[in-house]
Amino acid sequence: MTHCPGCGARLDAGAAFVQEFWAGDDRRFLCWCSGCGLLCTVVISARLVSHEPEH
Amino acid sequence: MLSQEKNERLTAVGPGTPMGNLLRRYWWPVATHDMAGRVPVRRRLLGEDLVLFRDGSGQLGLLAEQCQHRRASLTLGCTERTGLRCGYHGWLFDADGRCLEQPGEPADSTFASRIRAVSYPVAELGGLIFAYLGPAPAPLLPRYDLFVWPDVWRDIAHAELPCNFVQIMENSVDPYHVEWLHGRYGSFLRELAGERAVPVVTKKHVKVAFEVFEHGILKRRILEGQTEQDEDWKTGHPLVFPGMLRVGGGGIATFQIRVPVDDTHTWHVWYQTYRFEGPAPPQAAIPVYRVPLHDEQGEWLRDYVDGQDICAWVTQGAIADRSQEHLGRSDLGVIMLRKLYFEQMELVAAGKDPICTYRDPDRNVCVELPMERDKFGGARAFREMWLRESSIRYSPIRDQVLGQFGDVA
């Protein structure tokens, strides 16, 4: 994770915080952007299961 | 993993670093009460070499160690009625750093008025001497409950550990280590010695929770057989930001204070209070004792809970290499703490006060902190275990404490 998903500011320099951790098969990054204040977890999933709504 | 750049930001405590700037906004213990006498002593805090003294008038002083004149150590100094005199050429400095005398200079010289030693505010509270190395105006020295409670006994244990303070603090938001480091590994050592397993700390964790609150991070847990009505969950106990753990139960309450000496050393202080059910005679003075780190073979002592913790902390390395670690969901407390440090560093960089800064005397009469009484589901069982398995086992008043509680050795 090098950029904030919210504002696009760089996360790999300065005060921003990016911490990788694992949950089951998922690789996760807890991100805190010191620019916009966004706190989020970005998940790189092994598999994404979704449902297409009726149309 | 954490990038190397972020790891350095998290762990470097010297002047001018982001973490150093944050930590300088707090008062830190720099000595126990017995260390400060007429003989000046060398102390090191946040990467700065210092000399602590108490002059003939009883005034405490904390100066940068090197004399402003020719850079000799002021630990080779004489305390005078007022101030500390350098042993090399006799320059005399007061606790505020003013140069009062320069014996070798002409009598009409004004040179001394242009010399100022680096000095820091110091204050005594609860048997500890605290220092503030940050910018003025200094906040109030927090009057945390254990430092100011009346009618309790106290003792103070300490040891210098060869590792960075952050990895020690991370242990305080890592509840699962209790059932493994102390429960399984501690019991494994007992098995090898033909002894029974360690009681109390072997219970499995069912649920843990962490919450950032006004004092730092509040930690809660549910152990096997417990419910949300137990104090371990209902009350919990705090990591007190930025460098302290409050822990205990059954009438014993401890601050584990992790004082950053420099990037690779931490002065660990165990500050105990004992609150008995019946009356106890007042203490004449607070006993101070050192915690041994090694056995006769030079191995890390690990046959008790605090020794196991120390062993884990120092074997992570002088500064744990977080770029090589692999965190999981059970490490969310650790992640929360790291994020809190980063957030507070940014607040300081923006010119604001970080959390746990006290400037209102009315809020600082006695800062009460939450902590379980019935820890791990039983006050007495915890207390009896803790008096054996914590650093209290080295306390010179341990037998008297046992007697006052009515416990068996």
Side-chain angles (χ1 to χ4, degrees):
Chain A
M1 288 298 301
T2 55
H3 292 82
C4 173
C7 72
R10 292 195 70 91
L11 295 177
D12 53 357
F17 179 66
V18 180
Q19 174 71 62
E20 178 199 56
F21 68 102
W22 292 79
D25 291 338
D26 295 337
R27 187 180 177 202
R28 299 184 174 199
F29 295 86
L30 184 136
C31 307
W32 173 69
C33 175
S34 56
C36 71
L38 178 71
L39 175 66
C40 65
T41 304
V42 175
V43 182
I44 301 177
S45 289
R47 190 167 61 131
L48 183 63
V49 177
S50 185
H51 301 277
E52 189 176 353
E54 286 188 22
H55 56 85
Chain B
M1 61 86 81
L2 192 68
S3 72
Q4 286 189 349
E5 188 244 333
K6 304 286 185 198
N7 196 28
E8 190 177 332
R9 190 177 182 87
L10 183 67
T11 54
V13 302
T17 61
M19 182 61 112
N21 291 342
L22 169 62
L23 300 179
R24 278 169 174 73
R25 298 304 185 97
Y26 298 94
W27 289 84
W28 290 96
V30 71
T32 52
H33 65 87
D34 58 321
M35 293 179 186
R38 293 292 303 278
V39 179
V41 290
R42 183 174 187 271
R43 306 300 294 160
R44 187 166 164 80
L45 176 62
L46 298 173
E48 297 188 39
D49 291 321
L50 307 163
V51 59
L52 176 71
F53 65 96
R54 191 189 298 274
D55 70 16
S57 70
Q59 170 80 45
L60 280 170
L62 185 68
L63 304 177
E65 184 186 352
Q66 309 307 129
C67 178
Q68 288 288 311
H69 181 209
R70 298 272 297 281
R71 312 294 294 159
S73 172
L74 288 170
T75 57
L76 312 171
C78 331
T79 43
E80 305 287 12
R81 174 72 190 163
T82 299
L84 177 64
R85 187 183 299 283
C86 179
Y88 198 8
H89 300 96
W91 285 24
L92 178 67
F93 298 93
D94 71 8
D96 292 327
R98 281 185 291 259
C99 186
L100 305 179
E101 292 177 15
Q102 294 172 325
E105 297 300 310
D108 60 350
S109 172
T110 60
F111 185 25
S113 66
R114 298 191 296 281
I115 296 294
R116 189 101 188 192
V118 174
S119 68
Y120 295 113
V122 280
E124 288 186 275
L125 183 66
L128 290 171
I129 297 167
F130 291 82
Y132 177 78
L133 273 57
L140 300 172
L141 169 58
R143 293 171 56 83
Y144 287 120
D145 46 12
L146 304 196
F147 297 139
V148 298
W149 272 346
D151 306 326
V152 294
W153 281 15
R154 295 180 168 84
D155 64 22
I156 305 171
H158 64 99
E160 185 168 303
L161 308 179
C163 67
N164 184 265
F165 90 106
V166 175
Q167 59 214 56
I168 304 179
M169 291 306 297
E170 288 177 346
N171 172 275
S172 298
V173 277
D174 170 19
Y176 290 105
H177 88 273
V178 172
E179 70 183 71
W180 293 104
L181 179 62
H182 309 309
R184 177 64 193 121
Y185 181 69
S187 296
F188 173 67
L189 296 178
R190 296 287 172 88
E191 286 168 30
L192 296 179
E195 299 169 5
R196 288 167 53 192
V198 185
V200 181
V201 291
T202 52
K203 294 178 184 174
K204 300 288 178 206
H205 285 72
V206 175
K207 186 160 78 169
V208 300
F210 308 94
E211 176 188 337
V212 174
F213 76 139
E214 62 177 317
H215 302 300
I217 297 178
L218 185 63
K219 177 173 63 175
R220 306 170 194 272
R221 50 161 62 98
I222 294 178
L223 299 169
E224 216 167 39
Q226 289 186 322
T227 70
E228 293 187 358
Q229 295 311 306
D230 283 279
E231 288 191 21
D232 289 300
W233 182 264
K234 257 195 331 194
T235 308
H237 63 273
L239 174 153
V240 183
F241 197 84
M244 199 158 74
L245 170 70
R246 166 70 172 275
V247 67
I252 303 173
T254 297
F255 283 143
Q256 293 190 13
I257 312 172
R258 289 73 183 255
V259 183
V261 172
D262 54 30
D263 294 355
T264 55
H265 294 85
T266 303
W267 187 44
H268 201 290
V269 178
W270 292 263
Y271 187 97
Q272 263 90 226
T273 61
Y274 307 98
R275 188 186 287 283
F276 309 114
E277 288 181 10
Q283 282 182 297
I286 301 175
V288 177
Y289 54 103
R290 288 179 183 273
V291 173
L293 300 178
H294 300 101
D295 64 17
E296 296 82 3
Q297 284 74 45
E299 298 289 336
W300 292 102
L301 278 167
R302 63 190 84 168
D303 63 338
Y304 73 115
V305 165
D306 284 338
Q308 290 148 13
D309 279 326
I310 291 168
C311 200
W313 304 333
V314 298
T315 59
Q316 284 178 285
I319 301 174
D321 183 357
R322 294 173 177 80
S323 71
Q324 300 295 316
E325 67 188 6
H326 300 84
L327 302 193
R329 286 196 56 128
S330 58
D331 299 303
L332 288 178
V334 172
I335 296 172
M336 180 182 281
L337 175 61
R338 293 178 188 177
K339 186 255 176 185
L340 187 58
Y341 281 129
F342 272 70
E343 183 187 85
Q344 298 300 311
M345 283 184 233
E346 191 63 0
L347 270 181
V348 168
K352 298 175 183 166
D353 274 341
I355 62 167
C356 303
T357 301
Y358 290 85
R359 298 196 184 275
D360 177 359
D362 292 339
R363 286 187 57 229
N364 193 38
V365 176
C366 175
V367 181
E368 294 278 357
L369 298 166
M371 192 190 77
E372 316 88 337
R373 292 182 186 184
D374 286 329
K375 189 174 176 64
F376 293 159
R380 182 166 187 146
F382 173 81
R383 184 173 70 226
E384 291 184 346
M385 183 277 295
W386 204 236
L387 287 168
R388 281 194 312 272
E389 300 291 336
S390 75
S391 60
I392 297 171
R393 74 177 182 169
Y394 299 111
S395 170
I397 59 169
R398 180 177 174 274
D399 289 344
Q400 296 159 266
V401 168
L402 277 166
Q404 289 291 336
F405 277 125
D407 294 338
V408 291

